[in-house]
Amino acid sequence: MIATSMVFLMHLGFASLEAGLTRSKNTVNILFKNTIIPAIGLLTYAFVGFNLMYPGGEYAGSIFGFAGFGLTLPEGWDTSNYNEGYTFFTDFIFQAMFAATAATIVSGAVAERVKLGPFIFFSILYVGICYPIVGMWKWGGGFLNTLETPFYDFAGSTIVHSVGGWGALIGAALLGPRIGKYTARGMSAIPGHNIPLATFGVFLLWFGWFGFNGGSVLSADPGLVSKVFVTTSMAAAAGAFGALIVSYLMFKTYDITMVLNGILAGLVGITAGADQMGVTSSIIIGLIGGALIVFAVVFFDKIKVDDPVGAISVHLVGGIWGTLAVGIFGDLASLSQFFSQLIGVAAVGVFCVVFAGLLFFVMKKTVGIRVDEAEETEGLDINEHRMRAYPDFATKD
């Protein structure tokens, strides 16, 4: 339950990071999305998601199962007959916090030009249906958990972060770039309006990750929880340096936004195997994850996929790397484990791309998913919400 509270606080981190890395004229819109997403996650997970993700032992090895709508208390829900160390309600609320995170990742990549109504509709279906089905494949005893060498994802590099990352990639690609991002003269940076707020957000996320990974031990075992805290921190710290070194070599400047995303990449990367890694392996995973983030940001700009906060690079690229790293480093390292990790990455990727692609494409062709040019230029705050985040200051962006 303590870990649940820490994961809940991550939503404030996501809101602060996304608001800080985007323009002031869209701040209310960013905060609105990051406020409504946890509400969507909790309600949809209670109504349908939890029983999609944990349908019961009779669905072991399957790709789909469903235990019914709503939350039904099992016999012995508050005793060790349910699970030693935590109750049914603790189980639900901890997993519900994870569910909301997947849609929050998408929010950053489609920021500053997505229509609010279609985004909320997407979030309801993505969190309520897509995420729990993928989660069932491993955590609910589905087919990835019954491979000859079971797929391994301790706290969700793939099941949480890559799920959000794939949705973010499809959404950003189908929306198209923000006005002025890519011109005939090349890529034009659109800086965020509040770097201190973004920095605050990253440190909140780092703090929350102790609950994200530490809570995934699913017990208060002092040895394993403390190990997970250490591996999580080492990867984050190394991610900062991986991004710092590569970004300085490429751009000859000390880019704080790259370092911030490098920290997050290290955290995403260690999440799949935080309980399996030693200190050295954690540092290597974080270092490579932080370096990959810089290359990924440059790559997505080259193919004109506009991601205002780097969510695709952090959560998709970092998530894939962290998942594959389980087969390369740590206690489970082996060729067979690597191939199982690859199968998991591919299966989740295909399903999420199809699910998100169909949702966004149908909405694009019907109700539309992007605000018009005048609204985007003036800002989503005044057009979607009839208010400004900073009414006492003139905005020129």
Side-chain angles (χ1 to χ4, degrees):
M1 285 187 285
I2 293 171
T4 297
S5 301
M6 296 168 73
V7 177
F8 176 75
L9 193 61
M10 292 176 74
H11 291 288
L12 179 56
F14 279 119
S16 300
L17 174 64
E18 187 179 338
L21 291 182
T22 51
R23 289 167 290 183
S24 60
K25 64 185 179 182
N26 298 311
T27 302
V28 172
N29 183 259
I30 301 298
L31 297 178
F32 188 95
K33 287 188 297 176
N34 281 274
T35 299
I36 205 69
I37 285 171
I40 290 171
L42 286 167
L43 292 172
T44 58
Y45 203 64
F47 180 63
V48 66
F50 189 62
N51 286 335
L52 274 173
M53 197 160 171
Y54 299 98
E58 62 268 31
Y59 295 100
S62 302
I63 61 171
F64 182 82
F66 187 48
F69 293 99
L71 297 176
T72 303
L73 283 173
E75 186 176 347
W77 67 271
D78 58 346
T79 71
S80 59
N81 291 332
Y82 177 75
N83 202 305
E84 186 176 356
Y86 59 93
T87 72
F88 171 82
F89 281 130
T90 305
D91 190 12
F92 163 75
I93 198 65
F94 182 65
Q95 298 297 339
M97 292 305 165
F98 275 52
T101 302
T104 303
I105 293 166
V106 180
S107 173
V110 299
E112 302 201 278
R113 73 267 200 212
V114 71
K115 284 184 177 179
L116 186 57
F119 175 77
I120 291 174
F121 181 72
F122 169 85
S123 298
I124 290 171
L125 296 184
Y126 207 64
V127 175
I129 298 175
C130 181
Y131 166 74
I133 288 176
V134 168
M136 178 267 180
W137 293 351
K138 168 59 186 178
W139 294 340
F143 82 97
L144 290 178
N145 197 52
T146 56
L147 296 174
E148 185 175 348
T149 301
F151 172 75
Y152 195 82
D153 193 353
F154 173 64
S157 285
T158 281
I159 293 171
V160 178
H161 295 282
S162 287
V163 167
W166 288 116
L169 175 61
I170 297 301
L174 288 179
L175 268 174
R178 291 167 292 173
I179 295 170
K181 176 67 174 180
Y182 306 111
T183 67
R185 293 173 293 177
M187 192 273 289
S188 177
I190 302 177
H193 84 282
N194 195 328
I195 298 303
L197 185 63
T199 304
F200 174 75
V202 168
F203 276 94
L204 275 177
L205 288 168
W206 191 342
F207 173 77
W209 233 285
F210 290 126
F212 201 91
N213 286 357
S216 294
V217 173
L218 302 180
S219 80
D221 176 86
L224 193 51
V225 172
S226 60
K227 178 185 179 182
V228 167
F229 269 48
V230 170
T231 58
T232 298
S233 288
M234 292 299 105
F241 272 92
L244 167 63
I245 293 166
V246 174
S247 63
Y248 186 81
L249 291 175
M250 292 180 70
F251 310 122
K252 298 299 184 290
T253 187
Y254 298 101
D255 190 332
I256 181 63
T257 63
M258 287 294 187
V259 170
L260 293 175
N261 275 334
I263 290 170
L264 297 179
L267 290 165
V268 171
I270 198 60
T271 293
D275 63 330
Q276 302 293 326
M277 302 300 170
V279 173
T280 302
S281 296
S282 302
I283 292 171
I284 295 171
I285 289 169
L287 197 67
I288 295 174
L292 284 174
I293 242 54
V294 183
F295 293 118
V297 167
V298 172
F299 170 76
F300 286 118
D301 272 335
K302 282 187 176 179
I303 63 172
K304 297 184 178 180
V305 173
D306 183 16
D307 179 1
V309 304
I312 303 168
S313 301
V314 168
H315 298 281
L316 179 56
V317 175
I320 290 172
W321 160 241
T323 304
L324 296 179
V326 172
I328 304 171
F329 302 99
D331 299 340
L332 297 176
S334 69
L335 189 60
S336 61
Q337 186 67 58
F338 181 82
F339 280 117
S340 291
Q341 300 302 102
L342 200 59
I343 290 169
V345 167
V348 170
V350 169
F351 183 75
C352 290
V353 165
V354 171
F355 193 99
L358 284 173
L359 259 180
F360 274 121
F361 183 77
V362 169
M363 289 191 298
K364 183 175 182 177
K365 295 299 182 182
T366 53
V367 298
I369 58 176
R370 182 167 180 153
V371 299
D372 63 38
E373 185 173 339
E375 289 176 322
E376 183 179 344
T377 301
E378 189 176 7
L380 275 61
D381 288 2
I382 200 66
N383 285 288
E384 293 266 27
H385 307 276
R386 299 293 183 263
M387 64 176 67
R388 296 188 187 277
Y390 309 103
D392 296 331
F393 297 90
T395 56
K396 297 179 180 180
D397 57 352

